[in-house]
């Protein structure tokens, strides 16, 4: 007792010590609970499993509402490696027809980063319906496995593969770069699937599930309050005509080449055909897909994956004379009655370029109908060497600018990926080839008849004829007429682009010549269409590697044109022989719904130029 | 209530009683939250731990009433008897007890288990109070260095320490329950209050610091050399007499002894104990999936609570078993996760308030016995509070001791109830004692 009074202050020290410890603890608690967010994130990682809900990809329809692409269910076999204890391993191998070694390899892959033994990974992609059926019966024995339903693209008609493109697994690099995607996701790789990916894919949703310490799903987080629904992809209304596309592909059977048709009044692409093509249904599905892709990829004879309509750069040949004629008239260098001599060739250069027998010097329309080489050698040099310009370099640049205003030499800016610009050679290029001052207009005179270094892709050829059909303007060719149910169209496809030639008479004279080509004495008289005024132009693109490519372009009807179309068939010789019949059949089909020239149709389809069976015969020019 | 001298509530401190009841109910609700699952939603379901806890709470109420019914003198008179009884019980349990997780510390009665070590706490408090309150026994305050004086003056201190160390050794060494045993260290606070020399405490504190330092510093000989240099350097500041030389030498030997002992103890620890110390001190790489799992998950659960918590029964970390032992030693995680910083503060303040209240009551006692016992109660409660919450927030090593009145478990709840209510009874009796 006596000491108690002396020790009285010790109660304060003890009480103070207790309080101090508690204050330290509260500071620590405040730090980890309120200030540091890491623990909240860790807690989410612990207990939340974010499950992706895949949206349905948008359907694609043609201009008349006919289905081009839809979705079919597909089944992925998923595995959570940790939960495969007691699984009937051999059963899995048997159903999937894989070896035990392969099984272990896949389990290992699913267990390693970026996968995890606790999380689901794809074990077998897109099983066939048959495999899925057998699997379903035995699934209860396959512990740790489950089936995830997804969708794959399906095509009611095996057409338009190049235009539609295909969907495939995203590349690792791209998945790492783009926030929306993660590895294993599907993305449009080519064609419309690529350019309209953002619209078609929709938006992934997320379901938040709560898991316990054993990674077992306990339920939904907050009854799904924070879940986001998958938003389905929007439908795409393609501007192509399914029947026309199908018909064109049929006509192009056994031939390498391309057909592109445009509706001149809107710039909508009516068909975009590249031959040889392939059945788009080949490039869906798991195992089949990669097998088929490899096969198509290595088909060096046909190059079926090569989209000629957009990427093959062909010399245009005689169809280019249309542009020359328009430019020269705009420059007041020639008029309807201008006549240039032709002596089976271009006289000033000793008959080169050569020409064919068409009965003497022609006036302007006649020169187009008969496709006179001499005439356009004169015209080309008139343009380049015209007095307005102090030297021919300026004249050449003027010609080049005018040509480019019709599309060649630049990418048209269509809504399809990977189109090529073609080539209109520059002054610099020729300076390099011939040396500065080493060339004149006569050196490059063959440009005037669409040869030499001049190249166009088939889409550009179709666009040129659309400009003529419109008498001087075009809309950027596009293959989609509307996005979504509201059918919205990108503003840039509603903009008129004008060519450098705006003189109506110039167009009238050229169109008269084109009409003449389809009349007696014209280069394509054989391909006339009954009751329809077709305006066409043949072309023969010389090919250093073999037989010339046959080119033909046309629009119809002459007044108020509904279709502008270009066709090129490789190694088919004179344009009037193979390409003109194809174009005329297409026009007939499009305008009348059917053709009456069944015999011609049969012969066109039967012509197999790839294997050298040409029932159409080959022309001289 | 309690106006009547014959009422058992006569003189009972209502504030303590209220806080006690609040804590017990909060504990029960949090056990329900920690064990909660969809299939067993009935809070009275005795197949679940919260149902069982209700039974334990009922038992605790009966015990509390009984303690208040019995004459206060009973505890004073039988203090040594209680101590002896439970020392024997703790030895007997080694032979009669059932083995649980490698330790023989449980008596089993069918569905129920009792851990006698839990009850050693109040028995030791009683015995210590009895010993220290005896006549003129005072724990010595002077600090001298002559050996003869040392033994004479510290005789009582050494006896008092024996009261503490005996159960500690039995429980730690024989029953293998380190957590329960370490609690007895808290009685040092009682000795301090009763006059234990500050020098002794400083010595202890220095030893503790050396202990931690020698755990962190792995280079043992380097540490010993450093200490020798410090000892030598001390002569720059003190007179170089023969006596001082001996003192410094003795201090150095003691320090070296601590270092070597620490090393010895650490090397002879069980692996899981070593790991717990490693985790706390951040020695080596801590694998959060193995040895670091408990503490990391506890911190995640508490840390994810934020300011206001996720709401009752909304905690994902505790409810879905990410936190181990979430109903017993890690019950505070449920509080932290579901009630946030605010709820955690309330719980800690309630516990602290009860402890300070006990100190306040102890100081107003006229009898030394009651005061000393009161300090025993406060010390034991505080030790539990500090270690239990400290380990969930990573400030203490993981030592498996419960949060008083909160954690699941009959033995701990009952032992804390007995501990507290004997004091409440003693306090209620304070006015009668010297009448």
């Amino acid at each position: 007792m006596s000491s108690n009074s002396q020790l009285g202050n010790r109660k304060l020290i003890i009480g103070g010590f207790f309080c101090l410890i508690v204050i330290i603890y509260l500071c620590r608690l405040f730090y980890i609970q309120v200030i540091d967010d890491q623990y909240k994130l860790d807690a989410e990682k612990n207990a939340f499993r974010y499950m992706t809900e895949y949206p349905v990809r948008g359907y694609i329809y043609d201009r008349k509402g006919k289905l081009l692409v839809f979705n079919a269910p597909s089944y992925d076999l998923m595995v959570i490696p940790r939960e495969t204890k007691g699984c009937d391993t051999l059963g899995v191998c048997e159903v999937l027809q894989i070896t035990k070694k392969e099984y272990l390899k896949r389990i290992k892959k699913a267990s390693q980063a970026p996968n995890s033994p606790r999380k689901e990974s794809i074990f077998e992609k897109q099983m066939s319906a048959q495999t899925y059926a057998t699997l379903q019966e035995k699934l209860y024995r396959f512990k740790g496995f489950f089936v995830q339903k997804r969708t794959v693209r399906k095509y009611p008609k095996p057409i338009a593969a190049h235009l539609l493109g295909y969907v495939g697994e995203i590349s690792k690099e791209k998945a790492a770069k783009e926030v929306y995607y993660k590895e294993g996701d599907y993305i449009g790789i080519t064609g419309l699937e690529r350019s309209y990916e953002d619209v078609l894919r929709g938006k992934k949703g997320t379901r938040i599930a709560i898991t316990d310490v054993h990674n077992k799903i306990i339920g939904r987080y907050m009854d799904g309050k924070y879940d986001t629904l998958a938003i389905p992809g929007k439908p795409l209304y393609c501007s192509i005509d399914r029947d026309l596309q199908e018909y064109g592909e049929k006509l192009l059977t056994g031939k390498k080449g391309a057909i592109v048709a445009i509706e001149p009044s809107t710039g909508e692409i009516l068909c975009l055909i590249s031959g040889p093509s392939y059945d788009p249904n080949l490039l869906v599905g798991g195992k089949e897909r990669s097998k088929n892709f490899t096969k198509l990829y290595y088909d060096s004879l046909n190059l079926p994956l090569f989209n000629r309509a957009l990427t093959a750069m062909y010399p245009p040949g005689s169809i280019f004379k249309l542009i020359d004629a328009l430019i020269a008239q705009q420059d007041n260098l020639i008029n309807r009655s201008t006549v240039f001599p032709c002596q089976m060739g271009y006289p000033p250069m000793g008959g080169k370029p050569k020409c064919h027998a068409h009965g003497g010097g022609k006036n302007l329309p006649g020169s187009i109908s008969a496709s006179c080489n001499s005439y356009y050698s004169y015209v080309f040099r008139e343009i380049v060497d015209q007095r307005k310009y102090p030297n021919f370099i300026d004249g050449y640049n003027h010609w080049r600018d005018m040509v480019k205003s019709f599309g060649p030499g630049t990418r048209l800016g269509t809504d399809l990926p990977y189109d090529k610009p073609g080539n209109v050679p520059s002054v610099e290029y020729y300076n390099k080839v011939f040396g500065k001052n080493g060339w004149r207009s006569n050196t490059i005179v063959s440009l005037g008849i669409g040869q030499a270094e001049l190249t166009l892709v088939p889409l550009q050829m179709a666009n040129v004829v659309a400009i003529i059909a419109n008498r001087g303007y075009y809309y950027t060719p596009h293959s989609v007429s509307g996005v979504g149910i509201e059918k919205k169209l990108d503003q840039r496809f509603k903009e008129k682009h004008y060519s450098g030639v705006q003189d109506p008479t110039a167009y009238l004279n050229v169109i008269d010549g084109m009409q003449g080509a389809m009349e007696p004495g014209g280069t394509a008289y054989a391909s006339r269409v009954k009751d329809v005024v077709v305006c066409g132009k043949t072309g023969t693109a010389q090919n250093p590697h073999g037989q010339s490519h046959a080119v033909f372009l046309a629009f119809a009807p002459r007044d108020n044109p509904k279709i502008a179309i270009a066709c090129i068939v490789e190694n088919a010789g004179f344009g009037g022989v193979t390409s003109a019949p194809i174009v005329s059949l297409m026009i007939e089909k499009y305008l009348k719904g059917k053709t009456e020239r069944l015999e011609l149709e049969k012969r066109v389809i039967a012509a197999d130029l790839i294997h050298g069976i040409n029932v159409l015969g080959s022309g001289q020019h | 209530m309690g106006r009547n001298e014959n009422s058992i509530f006569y003189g009972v401190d209502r504030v303590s009683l209220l806080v006690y009841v609040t804590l017990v109910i909060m504990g029960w609700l949090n056990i329900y939250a920690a064990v909660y699952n969809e299939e067993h939603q009935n809070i009275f379901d005795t197949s679940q731990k919260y149902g069982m806890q209700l039974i334990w709470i009922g038992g605790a109420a009966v015990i509390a009433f009984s303690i208040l019914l019995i004459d206060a003198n009973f505890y004073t008179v039988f203090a040594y008897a209680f101590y002896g009884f439970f020392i024997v019980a703790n030895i007997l349990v080694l032979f009669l007890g059932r083995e649980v997780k490698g330790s023989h510390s449980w008596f089993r009665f069918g569905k129920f288990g009792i851990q006698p070590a839990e009850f050693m706490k109040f028995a030791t408090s009683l015995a210590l109070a009895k010993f220290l309150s005896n006549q003129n026994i005072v724990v010595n305050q002077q600090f001298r260095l002559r050996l003869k004086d040392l033994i004479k003056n510290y005789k009582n201190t050494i006896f008092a320490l024996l009261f503490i160390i005996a159960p500690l050794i039995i429980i730690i060494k024989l029953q293998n329950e380190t957590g329960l045993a370490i609690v007895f260290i808290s009685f040092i606070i009682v000795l301090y209050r009763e006059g234990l020399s500050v020098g002794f405490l400083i010595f202890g504190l220095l030893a503790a610091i050396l202990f931690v330092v020698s755990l962190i510093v792995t280079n043992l000989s380097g540490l010993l050399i450093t200490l020798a240099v410090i000892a030598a350097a001390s002569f720059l500041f003190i007179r170089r007499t023969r006596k001082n030389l001996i003192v410094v030498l003795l201090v150095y030997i003691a320090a070296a002894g601590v270092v070597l002992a620490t090393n010895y103890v650490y090397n002879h620890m069980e692996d899981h104990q070593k790991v717990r110390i490693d985790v706390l001190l951040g020695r080596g790489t801590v694998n959060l999936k193995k040895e670091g799992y408990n503490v990391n998950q506890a911190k995640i659960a508490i840390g994810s609570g934020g300011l206001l918590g996720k709401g009752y029964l909304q905690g994902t970390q505790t409810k879905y078993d990410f936190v181990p032992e979430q109903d017993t030693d890690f019950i505070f995680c449920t509080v932290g996760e579901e009630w946030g910083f605010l709820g955690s503060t309330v719980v800690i303040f309630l516990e602290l308030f009860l402890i300070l209240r006990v100190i306040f009551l102890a100081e107003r006692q006229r009898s030394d016995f009651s005061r000393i016992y009161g300090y025993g109660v406060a010390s034991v409660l505080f030790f539990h509070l500090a270690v239990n919450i400290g380990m969930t927030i990573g400030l203490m090593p993981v030592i498996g001791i419960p949060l008083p009145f909160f954690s699941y478990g009959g033995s701990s709840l009952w032992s804390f109830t007995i501990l507290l209510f004997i004091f409440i009874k003693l306090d209620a009796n304070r006015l009668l004692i010297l009448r």
Side-chain angles (χ1 to χ4, degrees):
Chain A
M1 284 299 278
S2 60
S3 66
N4 198 21
S5 52
Q6 301 163 25
L7 296 169
N9 67 335
R10 289 198 171 182
K11 71 178 179 219
L12 298 177
I13 294 172
I14 293 170
F17 172 69
F18 287 1
C19 291
L20 179 73
I21 297 285
V22 163
I23 287 167
I24 291 171
Y25 279 19
L26 289 179
C27 290
R28 170 77 170 172
L29 271 172
F30 189 77
Y31 177 76
I32 68 172
Q33 292 194 298
V34 182
I35 295 174
D36 194 345
D37 280 335
Q38 188 54 43
Y39 297 105
K40 288 165 197 75
L41 299 177
D42 286 346
E44 287 195 7
K45 254 195 281 174
N46 258 347
F48 289 3
R49 195 193 292 171
Y50 292 89
M51 295 193 295
T52 308
E53 301 256 281
Y54 288 97
V56 180
R57 208 172 167 83
Y59 282 22
I60 303 179
Y61 301 92
D62 88 335
R63 66 189 292 114
K64 290 175 184 156
K66 289 181 184 163
L67 202 54
L68 289 170
V69 189
F70 67 106
N71 300 312
S74 127
Y75 304 92
D76 289 349
L77 184 61
M78 312 295 289
V79 66
I80 301 173
R82 256 170 74 109
E83 290 172 17
T84 52
K85 236 174 233 164
C87 171
D88 176 8
T89 311
L90 285 177
V92 177
C93 296
E94 198 185 317
V95 172
L96 298 180
Q97 295 182 339
I98 56 172
T99 60
K100 180 87 194 263
K101 210 171 130 193
E102 172 69 18
Y103 173 91
L104 293 173
K105 207 176 101 192
R106 289 186 193 184
I107 290 285
K108 200 174 155 196
K109 196 183 160 218
S111 308
Q112 289 167 341
N115 302 315
S116 153
R118 294 158 167 269
K119 284 196 204 135
E120 73 264 27
S121 309
I122 296 179
F123 189 82
E124 171 90 359
K125 250 183 271 179
Q126 300 183 350
M127 290 177 287
S128 67
Q130 202 186 352
T131 313
Y132 174 62
T134 27
L135 181 92
Q136 221 183 7
E137 290 169 24
K138 299 178 180 171
L139 200 59
Y140 72 97
R141 294 211 309 251
F142 302 162
K143 299 232 164 60
F145 286 88
F146 64 96
V147 170
Q148 187 171 62
K149 201 173 137 188
R150 284 215 213 185
T151 56
V152 290
R153 293 304 233 181
K154 280 279 170 197
Y155 307 85
K157 297 258 182 189
I159 56 163
H162 293 108
L163 176 88
L164 299 170
Y166 56 89
V167 171
E169 215 169 293
I170 190 166
S171 70
K172 270 187 191 155
E173 298 76 40
K174 196 157 187 179
K177 219 163 53 194
E178 301 212 14
V179 188
Y180 179 83
Y181 301 95
K182 58 174 205 251
E183 252 181 77
D185 278 359
Y186 284 77
I187 187 171
I189 309 251
T190 60
L192 287 179
E193 299 277 18
R194 182 189 176 93
S195 39
Y196 289 91
E197 165 72 12
D198 291 353
V199 178
L200 288 169
R201 75 178 177 204
K203 199 158 178 285
K204 283 192 276 194
T206 314
R207 220 172 62 214
I208 310 173
I210 296 184
T211 59
D212 68 2
V213 69
H214 310 296
N215 203 35
K216 204 174 82 185
I217 291 176
I218 305 291
R220 304 174 73 183
Y221 176 63
M222 298 286 277
D223 286 328
K225 206 167 121 190
Y226 293 103
D227 293 1
T228 49
L229 285 176
I231 300 168
K234 289 181 180 172
L236 209 57
Y237 295 92
C238 190
S239 65
I240 71 158
D241 183 305
R242 193 176 89 174
D243 300 331
L244 187 67
Q245 176 85 17
E246 189 182 12
Y247 187 60
E249 290 191 15
K250 207 163 92 187
L251 295 177
L252 210 56
T253 315
K255 302 159 200 74
K256 292 183 188 174
I259 309 171
V260 180
I262 295 173
E263 185 177 64
S265 58
T266 57
E268 289 179 356
I269 295 170
L270 296 172
C271 73
L272 189 103
I273 299 158
S274 173
S277 189
Y278 60 93
D279 179 353
N281 286 306
L282 290 175
L283 292 189
V284 296
K287 255 189 218 162
E288 303 300 304
R289 198 201 105 94
S290 46
K291 213 162 67 193
N292 291 331
F293 186 85
T294 313
K295 215 161 96 189
L296 293 171
Y297 188 81
Y298 288 107
D299 182 354
S300 57
L301 177 64
N302 295 311
L303 299 175
L305 293 174
F306 179 45
N307 187 357
R308 290 173 167 83
L310 294 181
T311 53
M313 305 204 288
Y314 297 106
S318 303
I319 59 163
F320 199 76
K321 292 167 184 165
L322 301 172
I323 295 175
D324 284 329
L326 288 168
I327 298 170
Q329 289 181 85
Q330 176 80 15
D331 292 349
N332 287 319
L333 301 171
I334 58 169
N335 57 38
R336 188 179 180 93
S337 50
T338 305
V339 175
F340 288 109
C342 173
Q343 292 160 7
M344 294 291 280
Y346 176 50
M349 290 179 62
K352 278 188 176 164
K354 279 197 231 163
C355 195
H356 56 99
H358 48 65
K362 296 276 186 189
N363 69 354
L364 176 49
S367 71
I368 289 172
S369 308
S371 194
C372 176
N373 287 343
S374 174
Y375 195 97
Y376 288 94
S377 302
Y378 278 109
V379 167
F380 175 74
R381 293 191 67 188
E382 288 278 325
I383 299 169
V384 174
D385 294 332
Q386 62 182 293
R387 279 203 207 103
K388 206 162 83 190
Y389 301 104
N391 65 58
F392 81 96
I393 298 285
D394 292 335
Y396 179 75
N397 276 329
H398 162 71
W399 173 82
R400 186 165 181 264
D401 289 345
M402 291 297 269
V403 170
K404 286 180 86 170
S405 77
F406 284 84
T410 41
R411 295 181 63 190
L412 281 173
T414 170
D415 54 357
L416 290 163
Y418 303 130
D419 61 317
K420 286 266 169 66
N423 183 34
V424 187
S426 63
V427 169
E428 291 74 32
Y429 170 79
Y430 282 126
N431 278 343
K432 221 156 90 189
V433 174
F434 300 113
K436 209 165 179 180
N437 306 319
W439 56 289
R440 295 283 176 273
S441 62
N442 59 349
T443 324
I444 51 169
V445 71
S446 53
L447 285 178
I449 56 167
Q451 300 291 349
E453 294 88 347
L454 196 64
T455 53
L456 271 71
V457 300
L459 178 70
Q460 287 171 327
M461 297 181 186
N463 193 47
V464 166
V465 74
I467 293 170
I468 295 167
N470 284 334
R471 280 79 168 167
Y473 67 88
Y474 70 98
Y475 293 96
T476 303
H478 51 278
S479 52
V480 164
S481 51
V483 171
I485 301 164
E486 65 275 19
K487 298 203 178 176
K488 255 171 55 186
L489 181 64
D490 196 330
Q491 202 56 41
R492 70 193 173 101
F493 297 131
K494 293 178 186 168
E495 234 171 78
K496 262 187 196 177
H497 300 275
Y498 292 93
S499 74
V501 178
Q502 289 301 316
D503 175 9
T505 336
Y507 285 99
L508 179 77
N509 294 335
V510 166
I511 290 166
D512 279 345
M514 289 173 77
Q515 188 180 341
M518 309 301 289
E519 284 166 354
T523 48
Y525 175 58
S527 296
R528 66 199 172 278
V529 180
K530 209 174 139 195
D531 301 331
V532 181
V533 185
V534 177
C535 304
K537 179 75 194 80
T538 54
T540 307
Q542 279 173 12
N543 168 19
H545 310 295
Q547 265 273 30
S548 300
H549 305 321
V551 186
F552 190 78
L553 43 78
F555 68 88
R558 178 181 165 131
D559 299 315
N560 211 353
K562 292 270 179 292
I563 179 168
I565 179 166
C567 170
I568 180 157
V569 181
E570 291 182 20
N571 312 119
F574 176 56
V577 177
T578 321
S579 293
I582 290 175
V583 166
S584 80
L585 285 168
M586 295 281 284
I587 289 173
E588 192 179 14
K589 171 85 177 172
Y590 184 67
L591 296 179
K592 293 182 172 175
K594 59 177 182 3
T595 177
E596 286 162 12
R597 296 171 292 163
L598 295 174
E599 182 56 30
L600 177 68
E601 182 186 69
K602 216 169 99 185
R603 276 197 298 133
V604 167
I605 294 167
D608 186 343
L609 301 179
I610 295 169
H611 301 100
I613 307 156
N614 191 355
V615 288
L616 293 165
S618 102
Q620 263 300 315
H621 314 286
Chain B
M1 71 182 184
R3 293 260 166 205
N4 185 342
E5 273 190 35
N6 294 322
S7 157
I8 61 161
F9 288 112
Y10 177 75
V12 164
D13 181 51
R14 291 183 205 172
V15 176
S16 309
L17 196 64
L18 191 69
V19 176
Y20 166 81
V21 171
T22 310
L23 282 171
V24 168
I25 290 173
M26 282 172 79
W28 179 50
L29 291 175
N30 277 291
I31 291 166
Y32 179 70
V35 193
Y36 179 82
N37 62 42
E38 310 279 331
E39 287 149 35
H40 302 273
Q41 293 198 0
N42 184 354
I43 201 165
F44 303 109
D45 186 344
T46 55
S47 72
Q48 301 294 308
K49 283 197 170 164
Y50 37 83
M52 279 299 286
Q53 182 72 356
L54 200 58
I55 294 175
W56 297 123
I57 291 171
V62 172
I63 289 168
F65 274 109
S66 314
I67 289 170
L68 294 180
L69 273 175
I70 296 167
D71 192 292
N73 288 325
F74 174 75
Y75 307 110
T76 323
V77 172
F78 288 98
Y80 288 143
F82 274 120
Y83 188 76
F85 174 80
F86 278 108
I87 287 282
V88 171
N90 269 296
I91 292 170
L92 274 181
V93 77
L94 294 172
F95 306 106
L96 303 177
R98 177 114 41 100
E99 185 178 329
V100 179
K101 288 182 198 160
S103 61
H104 289 269
S105 65
W106 290 85
F107 283 121
R108 282 268 159 204
F109 308 103
K111 202 172 170 185
F112 303 94
I114 290 289
Q115 212 173 6
E118 283 284 358
F119 299 93
M120 201 67 235
K121 292 171 197 166
F122 88 88
T124 306
S125 286
L126 282 176
L128 206 57
K130 174 98 176 179
F131 175 73
L132 293 177
S133 63
N134 234 343
Q135 299 106 33
N136 289 319
I137 287 183
V138 168
V139 180
N140 205 295
Q141 302 168 57
Q142 274 101 50
F143 180 63
R144 296 218 190 88
L145 261 173
R146 281 213 299 276
L147 197 63
K148 202 170 73 185
D149 285 354
L150 210 69
I151 292 170
K152 200 179 119 200
N153 287 324
Y154 284 86
K155 199 177 76 191
N156 291 333
T157 310
I158 290 162
F159 265 117
L161 283 175
L162 277 180
F163 274 108
I164 299 167
I165 290 167
L168 193 154
I169 288 176
I170 290 170
I171 295 169
I172 200 172
K173 208 61 204 167
L174 302 179
Q175 295 181 3
N176 213 1
E177 288 280 1
T178 320
L180 284 173
I182 278 178
V183 173
F184 290 86
I185 290 174
S186 63
F187 286 112
I188 297 287
I189 295 170
V190 180
L191 296 186
Y192 170 72
R193 169 62 186 83
E194 295 309 316
L196 184 66
S197 130
V198 177
F200 191 94
L201 279 186
I202 290 173
F203 240 59
L205 195 67
L206 286 177
I209 290 170
L210 260 182
F211 178 79
V212 174
V213 167
S214 50
L215 278 177
I216 294 173
V217 178
T218 41
N219 184 355
L220 205 62
S221 47
L223 188 61
L224 289 174
I225 290 166
T226 310
L227 286 173
V229 169
I230 291 170
S234 68
F235 279 106
L236 294 173
F237 305 102
I238 55 173
R239 271 194 290 154
R240 268 160 260 172
T241 59
R242 198 173 152 193
K243 191 183 152 199
N244 281 353
L245 187 71
I246 294 169
V247 170
V248 169
L249 208 63
L250 279 173
V251 170
Y252 176 72
I253 289 168
V258 169
V259 171
L260 292 172
T262 305
N263 193 49
Y264 177 84
V265 167
Y266 179 77
N267 285 333
H268 285 78
M269 269 182 182
E270 305 222 349
D271 278 347
H272 73 276
Q273 290 169 330
K274 272 188 202 173
V275 157
R276 283 173 186 180
I277 286 175
D278 291 348
V279 169
L280 184 73
L281 298 178
R283 276 162 64 127
T285 49
V286 175
N287 185 342
L288 292 181
K289 291 216 167 83
K290 290 183 188 148
E291 61 269 14
Y293 181 80
N294 286 21
V295 173
N296 188 47
Q297 292 297 334
K299 275 197 278 186
I300 289 174
I302 294 171
S304 67
L307 185 64
L308 300 175
K310 299 176 185 170
Y312 189 53
L313 300 182
Q314 301 299 319
T316 52
Q317 305 302 299
T318 44
K319 202 160 65 172
Y320 300 128
D321 305 335
F322 288 99
V323 182
E325 306 290 334
Q326 52 195 316
D327 46 353
T328 55
D329 298 341
F330 281 90
I331 187 73
F332 188 69
C333 297
T334 312
V335 180
E337 189 183 11
E338 298 193 343
W339 300 102
F341 178 68
L342 225 60
S344 308
T345 308
V346 167
V347 169
I348 293 175
F349 271 155
L350 277 176
E351 296 264 4
L352 179 69
F353 178 76
L354 184 63
I355 291 163
L356 294 178
R357 179 78 189 168
V358 167
I359 290 178
F360 170 76
L361 296 180
E363 287 291 344
R364 76 179 183 188
Q365 300 305 311
R366 292 180 189 179
S367 103
D368 287 348
F369 178 85
S370 304
R371 184 188 67 243
I372 297 166
Y373 180 77
Y375 267 94
V377 174
S379 304
V380 168
L381 291 182
F382 183 75
F383 190 88
H384 278 86
L385 175 71
V387 171
N388 181 281
I389 291 176
M391 75 180 179
T392 59
I393 58 179
L395 293 178
M396 286 274 174
V398 176
I399 296 169
I401 59 173
L403 186 60
F405 316 116
F406 230 81
S407 291
Y408 171 78
S411 295
S412 70
L413 179 62
W414 286 4
S415 96
F416 285 126
T417 304
I418 294 169
L419 190 72
L420 180 67
F421 275 84
I422 288 178
F423 179 66
I424 288 177
K425 179 64 187 174
L426 290 174
D427 174 61
N429 221 34
R430 74 188 189 280
L431 299 172
L432 303 171
I433 204 163
L434 290 176
R435 185 176 285 174

